[in-house]
Amino acid sequence: MIQVHELGKRFGDVKAVDGVSFTVAAGEIFGLLGPNGAGKTTTISILATLLPPDSGRASVCGLDVTTDGEAIRRRIGVVPQEMALYEELTAEQNLDVFGRLYGLKGDQLKRRVAELLELSELTEHARRPVKGFSGGMKRRLNIMMGLVHAPDVLFLDEPTVGIDAQARTRILDLIRGMNEQGLTVLYTTHYLEEAEQLCDRIGVIDHGRLAALGDKEQLIHEIGESDAVRLLLATDRHADLAADAARWPGVSWAGFRRGKFEIQCDDGAPVVARLQTWLTEDGLELDQLEVIRPNLESLYLKITGRALRE
Amino acid sequence: MTSAVIRTLVLLHVRKILAEKSNLFWMFGMPIMFTVLMGMMFGTTSSSGPSEAPEVTVYDASRSAASGDLIASLGGREQYRIVVADTVGSEDLARQLVDDGRRTAALWIPAAFDDSLTAGRPAPLRFFFDSDRASAQTSRTALAEAVRRLDAIQGGRHAAGAGEFDQAVFDSLWAEPRVVLAATTLGRQQQEESALAGMSSGFQHTGPSYTLMFVMMFMLMSVRDIVLERRAGTLTRLRLGAASSTTLAAGLFLGPLLVGLAQAAVLLGFNTLLPSMDYGDSVATLIVVMVLFTGVSSALALVAATFCRTTGQADGMGMTVSMLMASLGGLWWPLEIVPGFMKQLALMLPSGRAITVFHNMIGRGWGLTENAPHLLWLVGALLILMVLARVRLRRLIA
Ligand SMILES: Nc1ncnc2c1ncn2[C@@H]1O[C@H](COP(=O)(O)OP(=O)(O)OP(=O)(O)O)[C@@H](O)[C@H]1O
Ligand SMILES: [Mg+2]
């Protein structure tokens, strides 16, 4: 559905997108994961034919983004990062205007608007000006605005920024629901849990380059299957622990990493048991302990050396 | 498809305006208030002085019954006033008055006028006038009539004196009139008669001028709208939905244009309720000038919007442009009372051109042909601004 090959775009000295390649199959939810300024919005803008690429090729629905802009725009929906809504108009009027823009009219238009209001659970607020809406309601309406003309592909640019967990869950459910109806989704976020929960395949982008690409299991495999036990001792005996722990079975490495003592191992459970024994023998106490199973976070850290939360 | 997109964009603009009730006050309440209040102020000044009919001076060296009769039949009219000078004057003085532009016309009656008439000799009259001025034209026609009348009276006297009608005498008088009018045109092309002369009420200025001002002002206030659209991302949405960026530009131009025309129709309609308010005889001119001016304003707002990044800039720009257009363009006070170079400056602004057309329609009864230079200027400005808006928007929305 979406093919991207060696895509590049620069703004002055900034390489916003730098040789990015990936494909998204029909009916898939593809997650583009990356921190601020990674190039997510730029990539979406190029695919949505709002920005011409400097190099590389990209096609959407089999149409070339540089030459078939008009045809592509009819078949895609775009949900921009900002709330692109008319605040002074009601929810219904907002949807109505964009329905008309895409050539819907009469009963067909009315039905579609009602359907989308229903889907986003905004029916009872349909006649209220958007400026009185909560952040979550606006976000939901913002998504619906990209769907009025029933597109084949939906580009969602960080649709859950700045809303609470409950509202976020509703939005993720909404997207999953639409995907089950056959919609292909390209989804950008810098929330890892979202990508883990929602996406079939994920691309990690940083400084305009695609650092990793694949399905979730594949990516986790890439960073090795080791668990990590992270802890801090109440007293300063970390050096002794490092020397001992390195000799424990299944442990590959022990030492300080990112402010905490970390033991990398095949399996966390026996290591924690060993650790308890070691502590009691010396009468030591723990300050903190956590066992980290490999996930996208560890992948992300490994790739970018930066944590991925805001 | 394209027309559906444009219709939608117009509908969107109307909805946005209606959603904010205070807009109705800006569109209609304010202008009506200004028109009435300012019109009343101008109304008092114009009834004393500037709008009085221009003077036609008569130097009567003969001071006879015949010259008195001639002057009386010249009469006073709406378009000019006959003022007989106290001094005897001279032919040169009469010429001088018109030459200097102090009078639109002047008449000199030589001392021998009455004697020549009585003796049956040709009695010359000297009339100087500025052919470009309506009042001079009218007084000249009136003078010609008065002369014919005097001639006919002479003929009648002669006929009566002979006891019975003597056709030979009449024919000789007919062929060789006794009163000989020598009228000299002193072409003073550059000095047009003020259109204000033909206007009788302050509302005739404030009616159209505040309509123009508030139509333009409201349109420039919407520069902020386009800036907001751009920042909010709705402009991007429109771009995605509209078939082409040309269609989008057309919609963004037409929405404010149509709303502006509706506003103008209401305001111009309201104005006709004011005392002695009408727009002359040419409805076509009224429509053409209003469409052109509103179009120019809409295109100007669109161009201005492409230069603004923040709403603060948009507000500042809108305020500055509309203030300058209104004050320099003669919407606050009539251009007829400002110095020549300011008048020239005003004619470089759409507001100056539009109000001049209105004054010509109201004060002179001019139509499309006479106003053509101004209307064509507005057409040119509209085309240039539309091209500019198109180019700037293409860069803005890709
Ligand atoms: N129009 C532009 N002009 C100049 N630089 C730009 C422009 N758009 C983006 N950039 C730069 O390109 C880089 C990528 O920006 P982009 O908006 O694609 O990142 P992003 O991944 O969407 O970030 P965020 O999570 O903050 O939305 C950034 O360094 C940004 O400053
Ligand atoms: Mg972004």
Side-chain angles (χ1 to χ4, degrees):
Chain A
M1 207 60 160
I2 302 174
Q3 259 111 28
V4 179
H5 183 73
E6 291 293 319
L7 203 63
K9 177 80 191 176
R10 54 192 311 154
F11 298 105
D13 289 339
V14 182
K15 281 185 182 168
V17 176
D18 188 8
V20 166
S21 305
F22 62 88
T23 58
V24 180
E28 197 175 27
I29 302 184
F30 182 84
L32 203 53
L33 188 64
N36 289 117
K40 303 183 295 292
T41 302
T42 308
T43 306
I44 283 198
S45 300
I46 294 172
L47 294 178
T49 76
L50 289 167
L51 267 182
D54 292 340
S55 57
R57 274 175 291 118
S59 68
V60 177
C61 306
L63 299 158
D64 191 297
V65 290
T66 46
T67 51
D68 301 322
E70 217 166 284
I72 290 180
R73 286 198 288 273
R74 296 270 131 199
R75 299 188 53 184
I76 60 167
V78 179
V79 177
Q81 198 168 349
E82 326 84 72
M83 314 261 203
L85 303 168
Y86 293 107
E87 297 264 324
E88 62 274 43
L89 301 187
T90 65
E92 195 175 36
Q93 285 175 327
N94 267 284
L95 290 168
D96 176 276
V97 160
F98 284 93
R100 288 171 194 272
L101 204 59
Y102 283 97
L104 298 182
K105 51 185 178 237
D107 280 348
Q108 195 192 8
L109 174 65
K110 273 209 202 91
R111 236 178 302 123
R112 185 66 184 153
V113 169
E115 210 173 285
L116 293 172
L117 286 168
E118 190 65 44
L119 190 62
S120 54
E121 298 169 47
L122 288 171
T123 308
E124 55 187 303
H125 308 289
R127 301 269 159 91
R128 275 176 52 198
V130 171
K131 60 177 166 231
F133 280 18
S134 72
M137 288 159 76
K138 283 186 191 171
R139 282 281 167 203
R140 293 205 301 274
L141 182 60
N142 199 34
I143 295 174
M144 292 304 123
M145 300 272 280
L147 287 170
V148 257
H149 55 299
D152 300 328
V153 182
L154 185 67
F155 294 99
L156 284 153
D157 198 359
E158 304 193 31
T160 58
V161 169
I163 52 174
D164 62 44
Q166 208 184 340
R168 189 197 288 195
T169 310
R170 272 168 99 173
I171 286 181
L172 295 186
D173 287 346
L174 192 66
I175 297 167
R176 207 173 286 119
M178 292 177 315
N179 173 249
E180 277 158 17
Q181 308 284 313
L183 186 71
T184 306
V185 178
L186 192 154
Y187 183 97
T188 80
T189 181
H190 49 188
Y191 293 115
L192 227 123
E193 313 85 88
E194 280 183 22
E196 273 193 286
Q197 281 176 38
L198 193 66
C199 301
D200 304 315
R201 292 193 325 123
I202 293 167
V204 181
I205 187 170
D206 192 31
H207 296 303
R209 299 199 65 94
L210 209 55
L213 177 69
D215 60 34
K216 211 164 66 187
E217 275 65 44
Q218 226 176 321
L219 289 180
I220 290 170
H221 183 78
E222 255 175 48
I223 54 160
E225 275 154 299
S226 63
D227 285 1
V229 179
R230 287 164 61 76
L231 60 117
L232 278 178
L233 299 177
T235 52
D236 194 17
R237 292 278 303 277
H238 290 111
D240 297 343
L241 178 57
D244 290 349
R247 290 193 298 272
W248 296 347
V251 170
S252 51
W253 182 83
F256 258 97
R257 213 173 136 190
R258 288 176 285 122
K260 279 197 183 155
F261 192 84
E262 187 172 312
I263 303 169
Q264 280 181 8
C265 49
D266 295 342
D267 190 0
V271 170
V272 171
R274 257 329 259 271
L275 183 64
Q276 293 296 347
T277 328
W278 189 83
L279 289 168
T280 5
E281 276 170 10
D282 288 24
L284 297 174
E285 279 184 27
L286 266 182
D287 217 17
Q288 289 176 8
L289 175 78
E290 57 181 338
V291 178
I292 298 168
R293 309 202 50 94
N295 61 3
L296 281 172
E297 171 106 47
S298 23
L299 165 72
Y300 192 80
L301 271 168
K302 191 168 168 186
I303 292 168
T304 68
R306 277 186 280 161
L308 193 57
R309 283 163 218 284
E310 274 168 310
Chain B
M1 194 64 247
T2 305
S3 69
V5 170
I6 292 177
R7 266 205 309 279
T8 306
L9 290 168
V10 171
L11 174 80
L12 172 65
H13 187 73
V14 172
R15 276 190 186 164
K16 284 199 296 187
I17 285 173
L18 291 181
E20 187 63 73
K21 295 288 173 280
S22 69
N23 278 332
L24 296 178
F25 173 72
W26 286 106
M27 288 179 76
F28 304 114
M30 273 289 264
I32 286 176
M33 210 167 81
F34 264 80
T35 303
V36 172
L37 290 177
M38 299 302 282
M40 278 156 61
M41 278 173 66
F42 282 121
T44 43
T45 52
S46 67
S47 65
S48 71
S51 82
E52 271 197 338
E55 206 176 294
V56 173
T57 297
V58 178
Y59 287 121
D60 183 7
S62 131
R63 311 237 166 210
S64 58
S67 67
D69 191 25
L70 180 79
I71 291 166
S73 65
L74 272 175
R77 309 226 174 167
E78 223 180 298
Q79 292 89 341
Y80 63 87
R81 286 180 300 135
I82 294 292
V83 175
V84 182
D86 294 334
T87 56
V88 174
S90 71
E91 186 176 336
D92 280 347
L93 276 176
R95 178 196 295 275
Q96 207 64 52
L97 279 180
V98 179
D99 221 9
D100 293 349
R102 280 179 289 156
R103 296 288 180 273
T104 62
L107 174 67
W108 183 63
I109 307 173
F113 181 70
D114 198 30
D115 292 344
S116 307
L117 268 187
T118 327
R121 287 196 304 274
L125 286 173
R126 290 293 282 138
F127 183 68
F128 303 96
F129 69 105
D130 176 349
S131 62
D132 281 344
R133 318 278 291 259
S135 60
Q137 294 284 11
T138 328
S139 57
R140 192 204 156 158
T141 316
L143 183 60
E145 269 168 27
V147 165
R148 256 208 315 284
R149 177 176 167 275
L150 205 58
D151 257 340
I153 289 173
Q154 289 302 317
R157 287 230 179 87
H158 274 277
E164 62 188 82
F165 181 70
D166 183 340
Q167 190 162 350
V169 173
F170 179 83
D171 279 343
S172 78
L173 282 168
W174 179 251
E176 232 180 284
R178 291 298 179 271
V179 186
V180 184
L181 177 64
T184 308
T185 308
L186 300 175
R188 301 182 47 77
Q189 313 276 345
Q190 75 279 24
Q191 221 184 49
E192 272 187 54
E193 182 172 25
S194 157
L196 277 191
M199 291 165 65
S200 55
S201 137
F203 298 123
Q204 291 177 332
H205 170 67
T206 59
S209 73
Y210 287 112
T211 299
L212 293 174
M213 177 164 112
F214 281 96
V215 164
M216 174 174 266
M217 209 154 147
F218 188 73
M219 203 111 46
L220 286 167
M221 272 166 66
S222 69
V223 167
R224 157 189 260 283
D225 256 30
I226 301 178
V227 172
L228 279 176
E229 287 241 19
R230 213 167 113 199
R231 290 166 69 87
T234 43
L235 195 63
T236 306
R237 281 226 145 108
L238 294 179
R239 174 73 193 92
L240 284 164
S244 71
S245 65
T246 310
T247 318
L248 177 55
L252 292 178
F253 166 72
L254 279 176
L257 172 64
L258 294 178
V259 169
L261 284 177
Q263 184 190 5
V266 170
L267 293 177
L268 291 174
F270 167 83
N271 291 342
T272 58
L273 304 177
L274 295 169
S276 58
M277 186 65 218
D278 70 78
Y279 301 104
D281 310 319
S282 174
V283 181
T285 314
L286 178 64
I287 293 174
V288 169
V289 71
M290 220 45 236
V291 169
L292 285 175
F293 179 78
T294 314
V296 165
S297 305
S298 180
L300 182 69
L302 211 48
V303 173
T306 66
F307 285 100
C308 298
R309 299 212 138 260
T310 65
T311 50
Q313 287 172 347
D315 291 344
M317 162 100 73
M319 189 57 98
T320 314
V321 173
S322 46
M323 288 285 199
L324 284 177
M325 289 278 184
S327 58
L328 299 180
L331 303 186
W332 285 354
W333 42 75
L335 287 177
E336 284 80 356
I337 65 169
V338 305
F341 69 96
M342 291 304 280
K343 219 172 287 182
Q344 295 301 314
L345 180 65
L347 289 181
M348 286 152 62
L349 302 173
S351 45
R353 294 286 174 167
I355 192 65
T356 304
V357 171
F358 267 104
H359 279 197
N360 287 343
M361 293 189 319
I362 297 170
R364 298 177 155 126
W366 283 8
L368 284 175
T369 334
E370 298 95 327
N371 280 309
H374 301 301
L375 297 174
L376 287 174
W377 188 96
L378 285 170
V379 170
L382 179 60
L383 291 178
I384 290 170
L385 284 168
M386 278 168 80
V387 169
L388 201 60
R390 182 69 200 83
V391 170
R392 293 283 311 170
L393 271 179
R394 193 199 291 274
R395 290 178 44 181
L396 199 75
I397 53 183

